Amino acid sequence: QVQPVESGGGLVQPGGSLRLSCAASIRSFRAYNMGWYRQAPGNQRELVATITVGGNTNYEDSVKGRFTISRDNAKNTVYLQMNSLKPEDTALYYCNRPSILLPWGQGTQVTVSS
């Protein structure tokens, strides 16, 4: 299994926005739910957003109304639009397939700081 490749992170001020991308070279990508995870220093990795094969989405409470997950099946890519970012969103962000985990990618660092 090939690990996903995440990109789009960076340093942003509180209230700012970022759009993360994840390329997942898996066969039958469109047949799987996908998710975005994050891990802050000293914390466990947590699932913050999921999108089903049908496009239904679900979010962890702390990001509801601020983050939007989407997918492009033609490009085997998952996106995470993050708005109104807060310092507590600072973490390493990963994407993966919740049902059958792939090898973890390197993630993309998001740092929210003034």
Side-chain angles (χ1 to χ4, degrees):
Q1 300 275 18
V2 178
Q3 60 194 23
V5 179
E6 301 91 353
S7 63
L11 173 63
V12 63
Q13 293 187 341
S17 298
L18 284 172
R19 188 191 193 211
L20 308 184
S21 298
C22 169
S25 298
I26 55 176
R27 193 165 51 186
S28 302
F29 172 84
R30 64 180 66 243
Y32 295 101
N33 298 347
M34 295 295 295
W36 279 97
Y37 300 73
R38 68 184 179 188
Q39 185 169 20
N43 290 355
Q44 290 189 339
R45 190 175 288 148
E46 62 175 348
L47 180 62
V48 297
T50 58
I51 185 165
T52 69
V53 296
N56 294 320
T57 58
N58 194 40
Y59 301 93
E60 191 269 331
D61 284 347
S62 68
V63 307
K64 280 181 182 176
R66 300 188 299 120
F67 290 11
T68 302
I69 186 172
S70 61
R71 65 192 297 163
D72 184 336
N73 290 333
K75 297 181 179 180
N76 279 27
T77 300
V78 185
Y79 303 99
L80 188 66
Q81 177 67 43
M82 305 187 297
N83 298 329
S84 302
L85 282 161
K86 304 176 181 181
E88 51 264 43
D89 295 318
T90 294
L92 198 55
Y93 283 73
Y94 304 86
C95 77
N96 214 311
R97 183 178 59 185
S99 59
I100 308 172
L101 288 175
L102 301 164
W104 291 98
Q106 293 191 335
T108 186
Q109 178 67 41
V110 172
T111 303
V112 185
S113 175
S114 55

